[in-house]
Amino acid sequence: MASLSSDIFYDILRRLDGPTLASAACACAAFCSISKEERLWENVCSSMWPSTNREDVKSLISSIGGFRKFYADCFPLIVNKEVAEYHWNKYLEYPEEWTEAEYYGDMEEFESISPSDFVSIVDIRYKDKSICSKVLSGIPNANGFNGWFYNCPFRIDLLTYATGDDDNEGEVTLSVADGLPPISSMEKERKDGKLWKELRDGIRLSWIVVNKKIKQAANLASWSPLGGQRHWPTDKDFVIRFGSVLPAKDILPCQVVECILIMKFRVVHTEGEGVQTTLKLTELSMQLEDMEGAHVNGRNSLLILKEALSCHRSKNYSEVLESCHLYSKVQSELKEEKMRNESRLDRLCILSGIAAFISFCYYIL
């Protein structure tokens, strides 16, 4: 090893992916020294997130600490196991127990957050091939409409508002040439689900949010789909859901929220004369929902996004799934408890009505 030049070491390391490069840096002092080269990590980021090839994104990454830090922040996915078991009766008591200041958090902290501080860097892959890269600076319509954004449900429709280079604009499609299986008709697909299975297993999403002011970044997507639905709302639509569980401590009573990333594809062509099976990306959006399934408003969403950039992350994908499944379990228990309480209340109202009617009849007679 000592007889080899550093150029050979560099040539070896530049061919590695991120996790392997990080492991190699722990092997010896020479590898550790060379692995600190920003150019190596720029190549790694460029390979994993093609959107980082843009000059404006390169400048942004350099301003928040460089490509090595960017990869360390965005490659591990968000894990949140601090999902407490809340009960419906606690939600009923929330208006009296939480003051406005407690609900919205520190007002001075909120005033320091601007929608223009956030940048979304989004990449979609299908079977390890990049099919879409988008970059969105700021949050659409967040600074207008006399505070409309702060009080209404938070939502980002990326396909509508994304800005990018000419080669990134236009329709995003998938076809047989990209690896999709050919289908002759939707009737056959409805029976065997081959196209749906290939799409769900092959699609990957990365949605990185960067805060320029605090110089932090995190990947809010789950990389692989967490779920989906075939033929919704029409027989030609496929909806795929990604996301993560974000902390909302001292921001919302439920303490945690779900970041939901929706991707919708529509079948625009089936196999025919000279035409390949083709899917078109018709929706790519982000929204935040609390434990009850209610949309979080823009004001609280900015606070939650800021907190999410510094929360715990893991390279172990099974931990990410466990975190999301735990959230879904607690959310289901909360809904069941809510239904039981509402059922009891309905029965009490019915019994009260019957008792009042009997009392009225007894009084009349």
Side-chain angles (χ1 to χ4, degrees):
M1 293 286 289
S3 63
L4 299 178
S5 70
S6 59
D7 291 339
I8 294 179
F9 288 161
Y10 183 90
D11 191 60
I12 294 172
L13 296 183
R14 73 179 180 84
R15 302 171 188 271
L16 305 180
D17 60 14
T20 310
L21 178 58
S23 298
C26 303
C28 64
F31 280 2
C32 179
S33 176
I34 298 173
S35 67
K36 296 178 182 179
E37 291 285 340
E38 273 291 287
R39 183 61 182 172
L40 291 175
W41 292 103
E42 182 178 346
N43 292 338
V44 168
C45 292
S46 175
S47 175
M48 186 165 189
W49 303 296
S51 54
T52 59
N53 285 319
R54 290 176 39 148
E55 290 302 322
D56 56 342
V57 177
K58 288 182 180 180
S59 299
L60 173 64
I61 294 174
S62 298
S63 68
I64 64 173
F67 285 92
R68 187 184 181 195
K69 179 180 182 297
F70 182 80
Y71 183 86
D73 288 342
C74 301
F75 177 74
L77 301 178
I78 291 176
V79 173
N80 194 331
K81 295 184 179 180
E82 299 178 0
V83 182
E85 295 185 3
Y86 290 92
H87 300 283
W88 175 244
N89 59 355
K90 291 188 178 182
Y91 278 85
L92 294 178
E93 297 171 1
Y94 136 73
E96 296 179 358
E97 293 184 351
W98 283 65
T99 65
E100 183 178 357
E102 290 174 328
Y103 181 86
Y104 288 118
D106 189 344
M107 292 302 296
E108 292 183 0
E109 179 184 4
F110 172 75
E111 291 173 356
S112 67
I113 303 175
S114 171
S116 60
D117 294 335
F118 294 91
V119 178
S120 293
I121 303 172
V122 180
D123 288 281
I124 305 174
R125 287 181 173 271
Y126 180 70
K127 294 186 175 180
D128 294 328
K129 177 184 177 182
S130 177
I131 63 170
C132 178
S133 293
K134 302 285 186 181
V135 178
L136 174 65
S137 298
I139 298 176
N141 301 325
N143 297 317
F145 301 101
N146 297 321
W148 172 87
F149 166 81
Y150 298 98
N151 300 310
C152 289
F154 171 83
R155 180 185 173 94
I156 296 179
D157 289 298
L158 194 71
L159 289 184
T160 304
Y161 295 101
T163 58
D165 298 328
D166 293 339
D167 57 354
N168 284 335
E169 294 179 345
E171 296 182 347
V172 179
T173 59
L174 276 175
S175 66
V176 174
D178 299 309
L180 285 179
I183 59 169
S184 57
S185 66
M186 291 307 300
E187 288 75 16
K188 182 178 179 181
E189 163 60 22
R190 193 176 291 108
K191 292 179 181 179
D192 58 32
K194 186 177 180 181
L195 178 61
W196 163 248
K197 184 178 184 302
E198 289 290 325
L199 178 64
R200 182 192 59 197
D201 294 345
I203 202 73
R204 298 291 181 266
L205 173 65
S206 170
W207 190 311
I208 295 172
V209 171
V210 180
N211 188 303
K212 296 182 291 184
K213 181 177 290 185
I214 63 176
K215 298 183 178 182
Q216 290 180 325
N219 194 343
L220 302 186
S222 51
W223 189 239
S224 298
L226 296 175
Q229 191 168 354
R230 298 170 58 194
H231 313 303
W232 187 91
T234 72
D235 63 340
K236 293 186 176 182
D237 287 316
F238 298 145
V239 176
I240 303 175
R241 183 176 64 86
F242 301 79
S244 54
V245 180
L246 307 182
K249 187 177 181 181
D250 300 328
I251 301 174
L252 292 177
C254 58
Q255 305 292 300
V256 288
V257 300
E258 185 177 15
C259 176
I260 301 175
L261 307 174
I262 296 295
M263 185 186 299
K264 184 187 293 184
F265 285 92
R266 174 167 295 176
V267 179
V268 292
H269 293 296
T270 54
E271 207 72 9
E273 296 182 1
V275 180
Q276 293 182 330
T277 300
T278 305
L279 299 181
K280 176 184 176 182
L281 182 62
T282 59
E283 179 183 330
L284 182 57
S285 63
M286 174 200 290
Q287 58 192 33
L288 303 182
E289 290 187 359
D290 64 14
M291 275 283 188
E292 298 178 49
H295 296 289
V296 182
N297 63 29
R299 186 175 192 173
N300 290 331
S301 294
L302 292 183
L303 293 170
I304 292 171
L305 288 178
K306 182 181 178 182
E307 291 296 319
L309 302 186
S310 57
C311 67
H312 180 68
R313 275 157 268 194
S314 173
K315 294 181 289 185
N316 187 345
Y317 189 66
S318 62
E319 290 188 20
V320 178
L321 291 180
E322 182 182 352
S323 172
C324 295
H325 292 162
L326 178 62
Y327 182 91
S328 298
K329 178 184 177 182
V330 175
Q331 189 179 48
S332 297
E333 292 174 353
L334 180 63
K335 291 180 179 178
E336 291 174 1
E337 185 177 353
K338 175 185 175 182
M339 293 176 64
R340 286 194 297 268
N341 277 279
E342 290 178 345
S343 179
R344 295 190 192 102
L345 185 60
D346 290 341
R347 289 197 296 269
L348 180 61
C349 291
I350 292 173
L351 292 175
S352 300
I354 293 174
F357 177 76
I358 294 174
S359 300
F360 177 76
C361 292
Y362 179 79
Y363 177 78
I364 296 296
L365 295 176

